[in-house]
Amino acid sequence: MILKEFDYLAPQTVAEAVSLLETYKDEAELIAGGTDLLVMMRKGALAPKYIVDIKPISSLDYVKWDEKEGLTIGALTKVSTIVNSDVIKEKCFSLYEAAESFGTTQIRNMATIGGNICRSAPDADLVPPLLVFDAELKLMGPRGERTVLLENFITGAGENILNNEILTQIKISVQKRPHGTAYKKLGRLSEDLAIVNCAVGIIVTDNKCEDVRIALGAVAPTAVRAKKVEQSLKGREINSKVIEDATKRVTEDIAPRTKFEYKVYTSKMLIKGLINEAVTRLGGSA
Amino acid sequence: MSTKKTYTVVGKRVPRIDAKEKARGEAKYVDDLTLPGMLYGATLRTPYAHARILSIDTSKAEELPGVKAVITGKDLPDRKFSFIQAFYPGREDKLPLEKEKARYIGDEIAAVAAVNLETAKRALELIDIKYEVLPTVIDPEEAMEASSPKIHDKERNVVEEVHDNFGDVDKSFKEADYIFEDRFRVSHQAHCCMETHGCIAQWGDDGRLTIWSSTQMASHYQWELSEVLGIPYGDIRVIRTTLGGSFGSKQAMHTIEPIAAYLAKKACRPVKLVYNREEEFLSTRTRHPAIFGLKTAVKKDGTITGREVKIILDNGAYNDMGPGLLHDMSRLFCSYYKVPNVRVNGYCVYTNKGYGSAFRGFSNPQTAFAIESQMDIIAKKLNIDPVELRLKNAVHTGDVAASGWVFPSCGLSECIEKAAAAIGWKEKRGKANKRGVGLATCTHWGGGLTFGQSDFCGTIVEINSGGLAYIRSGEVEMGQGSDTEITQIVAETLGFDIKDVKLMPLDTDLCPSFDYVGSPVTYVAGGAAKSAASDAKRQILELAAEMKALNTSDLDTMNGYIYDIKSGEKVMPVSEAAHFSYEIRGVPIIGKSSFHQGPTMFSGHVNPDGSGTYSPTYSFAAQAAEVEVDPTTGLVKVLEFITAQDVGKAINPMGIEGQADGGVAQGLGYALTEGLEYNSDGKLLNADYGHYRIFRAQDMPRKLTTILVETEDPGGPFGAKAVGETSMVPTAAAIANAIEDAVGVRIKELPITPFKVLEALIKNKKEK
Amino acid sequence: MNNHSGIIDLNVNGKIYTIKVKNNWSLLDVLRDELGLTGTKRGCDEGECGACTVLINGKPTLSCLILAVAAQGQEILTIEGLSENGELHPIQQSFVDLGAIQCGLCTPGMILSAKALLDSNPHPTEEEVRAAINGNLCRCTGYAKIVEAIMAVVGKTG
């Protein structure tokens, strides 16, 4: 399949890129890894007049850890960099797990974390763990920079609040970081779109759930936090009965459009399994 | 025990003769070729599953700079074609470009040739077609109803029926201890060749057409092209390029060749037409879906006494091979298990979907899923071990099935026993610990086919004056390794080192004629190669005998030398005799042969009740699987998989293992993840690898074993039979049976998705 | 660069090619159609099959999903650049010897994925080998002999 013609623009800085977006607006598409954009163009789903290639902006490719700031990841960091990052494995294990289950070697070498977030697909692999970590996004636009929570960023299937802006950084604050985390993608085969994906983060003290965050993907137009389930766990003693009861409330949190019963059932199962996994990783048992 | 002969080339793990150029990326597939002045073609496909074509306006497309030819159905003669017309004349129903109606989403309506693909694609967008959209029918059972839309404007959508009746079925059911009745449903499967279909067409000044094609069956394409273009057979030359997989999909000619030929004719330049992956999913032909109602009469001891079968074969929008496939299916229900009484009523039905064709195992993976799933259902009810039940009913060498099939060699029981032992049947079966083992078996025609005209294959083996052998054969390399196998057979027969045997690329102008289908290449082309090589060898030995005043019968060849059998001493190099023949005698050394099947079902080898054998021999296999089922998700993981295959004689064990591994991968996909999904408008929902999931390296079982059972068939070259197809025939049933053993649910519809498994598990729990 | 086409320098197999490309051409389009390097295969053009895999700066990359204009200044290795002086690379030889090749369309991409793995991890486990080639679809072999061929050269390359 031949791509339709377009103008190719390769800005050297974020500011240049933003000004191009402001100039061309809806006629322009950003390209980072290209693993989604070019496929959609080939399928005829998109036909931009301008392609703004931000991949060469090397200042957006980094993983940094700072005791005060927490973890900051440049938007153009490749998924393979996340897989190979010791600090991410140490501090945000479920993000590593999500990155590892992301596509194939080739796709991981090309796709970026920013691309995965900005595509805003309901089944995006990296979004559930980032939701669990309460990730903050830095957006650069014509009127300067703003910071938003990931939770408020994605607004629908393939939709987000970007307005001639570029996502530049993903930040996970140290204070908010839950202590035990786990991620799992349910797919038919080793490389598959998620039927359901789920991330869990939990803080347990003396077998009591101090805090818990659960995020699910592919069960609603956007990845969602399972807040009702979380509420039923918070402050409670962690045991299988409590977890079992809490997962029942998942139907209040999710709204799958297809395979409803399957997705509800497996969401419960994933949450259960991942809470156990996360607690085990903390050194406890559920 | 038979005294097995020792060979120097046959039976050895010989690396493929084409492996190096493929490893270097130098093998030329059709899309790698460019001819001077070549144009690029593209096809316009309809977006409607059923629509009348009211008008087509191509004027804007023709005006686009760079466009050299635009064609529609009006530019072509009114000649329909279908593969099946060779067997059932009058069943042809497909135009290369449809004029009146579009019958499935993807149907070809117009085509363009331009200086590059980009221009050709842009021109397609400028073609304006007005349609009257018609009601569609997607489900084959609905399509059989009188009120359903008529896809070919005929009285009914049923295009072929089979009504076979062997023995006394009613009596067998009256006298049965148990009667089992189950409904099974199998899905479409796409071949997913890594190389999409493609060809290049060029007309010569002499009016001859040359087609470079990724075809499994060059000489049949030649014939089909002649039918559809209305030009003499001899005016068409088909050159086979390296095939990037076929599995049956490049056996029947597609519309791509006639379209390219017409574009090339109109533009007066060569035209390349290659499908993209979406077109490959949309419009190349698939494994036929089917519904089976299977009723079986069984005695207390497990003896199967009768079967009554209803088949609804979902043909899709066009015939291709559907009607023939229906008849094949029918015979399989009384083939490898002794079923003395059988009645089959089958219907091949048009629907507004992509259409079916040949796919590895042709008709057999479908029927095997039904037969082999029900075997386990029977075993469970009768409390007989499924392995024992199969052994009890299995056919043996010399048996004749109710369908008239005869089995000159049969290793079915040995396959069953070996597969069961290898999987650890006794230790693992019935543990109900989320892990389970399952087994299933099959047969498949192992020689050429006899139900149409006889299969045939010509072969010429020429020994040049330097003592090298050149083979010109109608064998069908499609990736499976037959080039190497034929070369081995000739090298072994001639007593040559394999490097001194060269196989000529397949070109219908240079190679002898052939016409046969599928994996009987070993039996048919292998048989022809062996006898052509024997003919050449005889000539060489006669020359040497004459030169040295020896008896021909005292001489033989080995390692490129002619030697005296008694003394074991070298008489002369083959090259010396060859040189003598050309230089002194003025006679070339040309061994020739054409394998011919003998009597066919059409030429009288049919019994009064319609029974008769399909093939001079049959291959057999048993497969055993160990799976693990996750009861929280319904996901099935295949831990271990065994294939025990009766191959007659393994010409190249390494090649057969590789083929079997690949067959298993396709079979596992058929079992668990593949299956085209159409919505009610006939739109294909998974026309890409992102949604149509085939197995990857991490999905395959870590333990994958092939056991070769050698029964030394009396008719096959060196005792060999067809090997390529059986390895995916019983796979889906083996998996279904293993799942049942693991978690107690029986899934009767393919693919066995996690959704179906989990639903059944939850239902099971509720019932308990 | 605002035009529909331009002149770029591509570093392929250690050779610099100065060519005119259009913006909408993928690296795969250019390798095959402009440079005649047809060893890189077009399997799906949608990033799923891996037949178009090339190594960019040593990493397996899908040439169908990278624009040619964006591939400037990078080291690109295709299958044609793997064997030296007609000698097969040990991975290629192992594929030949152990029956890892059938139709051969996935082979170039598969071999390049294997090379990238062995270059960065000379002693992989079987699981690591399977993970490394998971992006390369094969419809013929069931992957068993491919995995075997790669494992057979572990420690023998580089």
Side-chain angles (χ1 to χ4, degrees):
Chain A
M1 284 288 255
I2 302 284
L3 293 167
K4 292 233 168 106
E5 283 187 353
F6 50 80
D7 278 3
Y8 176 79
L9 309 163
Q12 298 304 305
T13 64
V14 173
E16 270 179 57
V18 167
S19 100
L20 288 169
L21 283 185
E22 205 190 6
T23 309
Y24 298 116
K25 298 196 167 62
D26 288 350
E27 290 179 336
E29 287 286 345
L30 285 182
I31 189 168
T35 54
D36 271 323
L37 183 72
L38 294 188
V39 174
M40 292 203 288
M41 286 171 63
R42 286 227 168 87
K43 286 185 183 296
L46 281 176
K49 271 180 88 174
Y50 303 93
I51 283 195
V52 181
D53 188 354
I54 55 171
K55 196 166 33 200
I57 306 177
S58 55
S59 60
L60 296 185
D61 179 3
Y62 58 86
V63 175
K64 283 183 201 151
W65 168 257
D66 179 292
E67 286 299 331
K68 264 198 234 145
E69 282 283 301
L71 185 73
T72 48
I73 305 171
L76 291 176
T77 303
K78 297 212 168 66
V79 177
S80 57
T81 307
I82 294 172
V83 175
N84 293 321
S85 160
D86 290 336
V87 65
I88 289 178
K89 218 183 244 181
E90 187 194 332
K91 307 289 182 189
C92 305
F93 195 75
S94 60
L95 180 60
Y96 156 77
E97 286 179 303
E100 210 205 9
S101 76
F102 188 113
T104 61
T105 304
Q106 289 93 321
I107 295 286
R108 290 191 291 275
N109 283 337
M110 301 173 78
T112 63
I113 183 171
N116 194 238
I117 294 169
C118 293
R119 266 280 286 124
S120 306
D123 57 357
D125 286 299
L126 303 184
V127 171
L130 290 171
L131 279 177
V132 161
F133 291 123
D134 260 350
E136 271 177 18
L137 309 181
K138 248 187 209 170
L139 314 179
M140 180 63 88
R143 278 157 299 280
E145 193 173 75
R146 60 173 172 156
T147 302
V148 296
L149 278 176
L150 171 62
E151 201 183 343
N152 301 326
F153 176 80
I154 301 175
T155 53
E159 286 168 21
N160 56 46
I161 61 167
L162 283 176
N163 181 17
N164 302 325
E165 290 162 300
I166 291 175
L167 167 65
T168 56
Q169 187 192 75
I170 297 95
K171 183 176 163 193
I172 294 169
S173 304
V174 62
Q175 295 87 348
K176 290 180 182 174
R177 188 173 59 79
H179 291 183
T181 78
Y183 170 87
K184 191 170 175 180
K185 169 159 83 175
L186 180 58
R188 287 164 299 174
L189 289 173
S190 58
E191 202 284 289
D192 207 347
L193 303 168
I195 305 171
V196 181
N197 58 359
C198 181
V200 161
I202 194 163
I203 301 177
V204 177
T205 314
D206 299 330
N207 210 29
K208 214 174 106 187
C209 173
E210 256 183 57
D211 195 7
V212 63
R213 294 201 179 86
I214 299 163
L216 289 153
V219 290
T222 69
V224 290
R225 282 271 296 278
K227 290 191 175 168
K228 300 286 182 196
V229 180
E230 291 174 6
Q231 275 172 21
S232 311
L233 289 166
K234 267 184 217 166
R236 306 283 301 272
E237 190 184 319
I238 286 294
N239 61 45
S240 54
K241 171 85 173 62
V242 167
I243 298 172
E244 179 78 40
D245 288 345
T247 59
K248 283 182 185 152
R249 298 196 66 188
V250 79
T251 47
E252 298 169 57
D253 291 317
I254 67 176
R257 277 178 32 215
T258 57
K259 301 197 167 58
F260 182 87
E261 283 177 13
Y262 183 86
K263 289 192 175 195
V264 167
Y265 188 89
T266 51
S267 293
K268 290 178 191 170
M269 293 295 163
L270 279 175
I271 293 170
K272 253 191 257 182
L274 290 172
I275 289 175
N276 284 327
E277 183 69 45
V279 171
T280 309
R281 283 178 187 165
L282 280 174
S285 63
Chain B
M1 281 306 289
S2 69
T3 49
K4 289 199 173 174
K5 290 201 191 90
T6 55
Y7 301 113
T8 56
V9 190
V10 158
K12 306 293 183 219
R13 305 175 73 81
V14 176
R16 293 172 61 110
I17 59 172
D18 56 357
K20 280 190 183 176
E21 61 170 14
K22 285 176 172 174
R24 272 202 273 257
E26 283 169 4
K28 295 294 177 203
Y29 303 81
V30 71
D31 198 24
D32 301 335
L33 302 176
T34 308
L35 299 184
M38 188 177 82
L39 302 174
Y40 296 80
T43 310
L44 184 67
R45 299 174 184 285
T46 179
Y48 302 109
H50 199 192
R52 201 165 296 284
I53 301 163
L54 302 176
S55 66
I56 307 176
D57 180 358
T58 59
S59 53
K60 281 191 188 135
E62 281 161 43
E63 285 160 16
L64 186 70
V67 170
K68 302 294 175 189
V70 181
I71 58 170
T72 68
K74 282 186 188 148
D75 297 296
L76 277 57
D78 221 351
R79 299 176 75 96
K80 292 183 176 174
F81 74 110
S82 290
F83 184 90
I84 199 70
Q85 75 194 95
F87 302 90
Y88 300 89
R91 300 300 169 88
E92 56 274 15
D93 61 5
K94 180 80 187 101
L95 289 167
L97 294 171
E98 294 298 335
K99 292 196 273 199
E100 311 280 330
K101 260 173 92 174
R103 296 179 181 86
Y104 78 100
I105 293 176
D107 217 348
E108 297 86 352
I109 311 293
V112 173
V115 290
N116 55 44
L117 193 54
E118 199 175 344
T119 306
K121 294 271 182 198
R122 207 175 318 140
L124 292 185
E125 293 173 9
L126 299 174
I127 296 175
D128 185 25
I129 305 178
K130 301 257 184 301
Y131 292 100
E132 177 199 349
V133 178
L134 302 170
T136 58
V137 58
I138 302 305
D139 182 85
E141 286 176 300
E142 279 174 30
M144 288 174 74
E145 289 168 14
S147 60
S148 66
K150 299 300 173 283
I151 294 167
H152 284 267
D153 297 333
K154 290 192 179 138
E155 211 175 295
R156 359 180 264 160
N157 289 319
V158 174
V159 66
E160 179 72 10
E161 296 185 26
V162 61
H163 302 287
D164 281 334
N165 199 344
F166 306 123
D168 189 340
V169 178
D170 294 331
K171 187 162 172 262
S172 73
F173 277 96
K174 227 175 275 162
E175 293 172 0
D177 293 325
Y178 295 94
I179 293 171
F180 293 86
E181 203 168 352
D182 297 285
R183 180 183 154 103
F184 298 95
R185 190 166 193 152
V186 293
S187 48
H188 288 91
Q189 185 179 25
H191 299 77
C192 297
C193 306
M194 292 305 296
E195 179 208 25
T196 60
H197 287 64
C199 74
I200 301 172
Q202 183 178 38
W203 293 83
D205 293 337
D206 56 359
R208 292 191 84 215
L209 170 67
T210 301
I211 296 264
W212 285 260
S213 173
S214 173
T215 167
Q216 185 183 325
M217 223 174 154
S219 68
H220 200 89
Y221 274 36
Q222 197 184 5
W223 181 81
E224 283 194 271
L225 268 171
S226 127
E227 286 292 312
V228 71
L229 301 179
I231 62 172
Y233 181 78
D235 279 357
I236 299 161
R237 175 183 186 185
V238 181
I239 299 172
R240 181 189 74 193
T241 51
T242 306
L243 265 77
S246 176
F247 318 111
S249 80
K250 296 164 182 174
Q251 178 174 316
M253 188 180 70
H254 284 240
T255 56
I256 196 166
E257 278 82 11
I259 290 174
Y262 275 106
L263 286 172
K265 187 158 198 177
K266 194 162 184 184
C268 297
R269 281 164 73 169
V271 172
K272 182 199 273 188
L273 191 52
V274 176
Y275 284 164
N276 62 40
R277 185 54 61 182
E278 189 187 12
E279 289 181 292
E280 189 80 2
F281 272 107
L282 272 183
S283 70
T284 68
R285 303 152 199 183
T286 64
R287 186 183 303 296
H288 288 83
I291 301 165
F292 299 104
L294 179 56
K295 196 173 152 190
T296 302
V298 186
K299 291 287 191 189
K300 262 184 218 147
D301 67 352
T303 307
I304 297 170
T305 54
R307 271 206 184 117
E308 186 165 9
V309 190
K310 184 178 179 187
I311 306 170
I312 297 171
L313 181 64
D314 187 349
N315 205 19
Y318 295 98
N319 261 339
D320 194 285
M321 300 188 190
L325 195 121
L326 180 69
H327 288 273
D328 291 356
M329 281 184 163
S330 168
R331 304 294 162 116
L332 286 161
F333 285 96
C334 56
S335 54
Y336 59 104
Y337 294 127
K338 288 174 255 182
V339 185
N341 310 292
V342 65
R343 179 158 58 224
V344 181
N345 293 302
Y347 307 88
C348 178
V349 191
Y350 285 129
T351 54
N352 289 120
K353 291 181 289 193
Y355 48 119
S357 182
F359 190 163
R360 192 180 207 162
F362 196 79
S363 76
N364 210 336
Q366 291 100 316
T367 53
F369 180 67
I371 295 169
E372 292 298 311
S373 294
Q374 199 188 48
M375 285 301 275
D376 268 39
I377 294 171
I378 295 168
K380 191 176 185 184
K381 174 85 180 171
L382 268 55
N383 202 19
I384 298 175
D385 185 302
V387 167
E388 293 308 317
L389 183 71
R390 287 179 170 82
L391 288 171
K392 185 175 186 61
N393 289 284
V395 293
H396 299 98
T397 302
D399 282 350
V400 180
S403 59
W405 292 13
V406 293
F407 305 108
S409 64
C410 173
L412 178 56
S413 295
E414 193 180 340
C415 288
I416 294 171
E417 282 160 359
K418 288 193 164 161
I423 201 78
W425 185 263
K426 293 217 166 90
E427 307 86 72
K428 291 176 181 169
R429 178 82 187 173
K431 295 284 180 283
N433 57 352
K434 297 182 214 166
R435 287 191 177 189
V437 291
L439 182 137
T441 72
C442 74
T443 186
H444 200 73
W445 22 103
L449 295 176
T450 58
F451 65 78
Q453 313 99 321
S454 168
D455 282 356
F456 65 91
C457 175
T459 301
I460 294 168
V461 173
E462 180 184 344
I463 297 172
N464 75 3
S465 65
L468 292 185
Y470 289 85
I471 313 167
R472 299 207 298 276
S473 162
E475 57 84 28
V476 285
E477 174 66 66
M478 49 186 134
Q480 88 281 36
S482 61
D483 275 1
T484 307
E485 198 180 50
I486 296 296
T487 308
Q488 282 179 268
I489 286 172
V490 170
E492 183 70 51
T493 308
L494 289 175
F496 279 21
D497 190 307
I498 195 162
K499 72 172 173 22
D500 293 333
V501 180
K502 309 289 176 201
L503 184 83
M504 298 294 95
L506 202 151
D507 176 336
T508 57
D509 267 11
L510 304 177
C511 294
S513 298
F514 67 99
D515 196 359
Y516 61 97
V517 292
S519 65
V521 58
T522 306
Y523 194 93
V524 177
K530 186 163 183 267
S531 56
S534 298
D535 186 22
K537 178 175 164 178
R538 176 188 54 76
Q539 296 169 41
I540 281 282
L541 295 182
E542 282 173 6
L543 280 163
E546 189 187 323
M547 288 162 73
K548 298 280 181 186
L550 297 166
N551 285 326
T552 309
S553 58
D554 292 337
L555 302 178
D556 204 348
T557 51
M558 197 166 57
N559 298 332
Y561 277 89
I562 297 160
Y563 70 98
D564 188 306
I565 296 169
K566 280 181 202 148
S567 68
E569 277 174 22
K570 285 175 183 168
V571 174
M572 68 176 76
V574 169
S575 57
E576 197 179 317
H579 194 257
F580 174 81
S581 182
Y582 284 88
E583 187 98 340
I584 309 297
R585 299 280 298 276
V587 177
I589 301 168
I590 296 174
K592 54 189 192 299
S593 171
S594 182
F595 182 94
H596 187 261
Q597 205 71 70
T600 69
M601 288 190 74
F602 281 5
S603 67
H605 194 70
V606 184
N607 302 316
D609 63 353
S611 65
T613 202
Y614 259 37
S615 174
T617 194
Y618 295 82
S619 302
F620 298 89
Q623 293 187 316
E626 184 181 14
V627 303
E628 185 173 71
V629 183
D630 181 345
T632 67
T633 60
L635 279 167
V636 176
K637 190 173 176 191
V638 185
L639 304 172
E640 181 168 5
F641 204 90
I642 313 287
T643 300
Q645 262 186 302
D646 169 12
V647 300
K649 164 79 188 170
I651 303 288
N652 187 341
M654 187 163 77
I656 297 176
E657 288 163 12
Q659 260 192 292
D661 294 344
V664 172
Q666 290 178 357
L668 293 177
Y670 189 49
L672 295 169
T673 61
E674 298 184 33
L676 296 174
E677 294 164 28
Y678 288 89
N679 71 9
S680 57
D681 295 328
K683 185 175 161 51
L684 180 57
L685 302 174
N686 52 349
D688 56 41
Y689 284 135
H691 297 86
Y692 187 93
R693 285 293 180 194
I694 67 175
F695 270 52
R696 292 175 183 269
Q698 286 184 301
D699 305 314
M700 288 298 291
R702 297 305 186 260
K703 289 189 199 163
L704 189 59
T705 307
T706 307
I707 299 166
L708 301 180
V709 171
E710 298 193 319
T711 50
E712 308 222 343
D713 188 77
F718 302 98
K721 306 193 265 194
V723 300
E725 309 196 53
T726 51
S727 59
M728 79 154 298
V729 172
T731 315
I735 294 296
N737 293 341
I739 291 168
E740 208 272 347
D741 185 47
V743 290
V745 299
R746 166 64 55 188
I747 309 296
K748 297 179 183 175
E749 274 188 28
L750 294 182
I752 305 173
T753 60
F755 318 117
K756 291 176 193 166
V757 174
L758 191 66
E759 194 185 340
L761 280 168
I762 291 169
K763 197 170 153 232
N764 245 14
K765 222 191 242 171
K766 278 181 190 159
E767 280 168 7
K768 277 174 191 169
Chain C
M1 245 194 295
N2 288 12
N3 302 319
H4 285 298
S5 60
I7 309 281
I8 61 164
D9 286 338
L10 274 189
N11 175 353
V12 184
N13 302 329
K15 220 166 124 182
I16 306 292
Y17 294 86
T18 303
I19 45 167
K20 191 170 179 206
V21 300
K22 288 178 66 179
N23 290 334
N24 57 338
W25 289 354
S26 67
L27 176 60
L28 176 63
D29 294 335
V30 169
L31 289 172
R32 289 180 57 83
D33 302 337
E34 301 301 308
L35 306 185
L37 296 171
T38 55
T40 306
K41 301 300 179 192
R42 192 188 303 275
C44 71
D45 242 357
E46 294 177 348
E48 291 285 348
C49 78
C52 69
T53 299
V54 297
L55 302 191
I56 295 190
N57 306 325
K59 289 188 173 156
T61 306
L62 300 167
S63 62
C64 75
L65 292 188
I66 178 164
L67 297 174
V69 285
Q72 289 191 87
Q74 326 226 33
E75 280 180 32
I76 301 161
L77 181 77
T78 73
I79 193 70
E80 288 90 348
L82 197 57
S83 49
E84 280 173 38
N85 308 321
E87 285 281 301
L88 293 183
H89 183 278
I91 300 172
Q92 289 173 312
Q93 189 64 51
S94 188
F95 269 56
V96 170
D97 292 342
L98 295 177
I101 299 169
Q102 288 188 38
C103 89
L105 206 102
C106 75
T107 305
M110 198 69 89
I111 286 174
L112 288 170
S113 285
K115 178 182 163 31
L117 170 71
L118 295 179
D119 286 351
S120 66
N121 177 5
H123 293 277
T125 61
E126 182 189 323
E127 289 310 308
E128 287 169 331
V129 168
R130 284 182 184 270
I133 61 168
N134 215 42
N136 297 80
L137 286 177
C138 168
R139 193 59 159 169
C140 298
T141 66
Y143 310 96
K145 293 203 182 298
I146 292 172
V147 172
E148 192 188 330
I150 298 168
M151 291 304 287
V153 287
V154 163
K156 293 179 192 162
T157 55

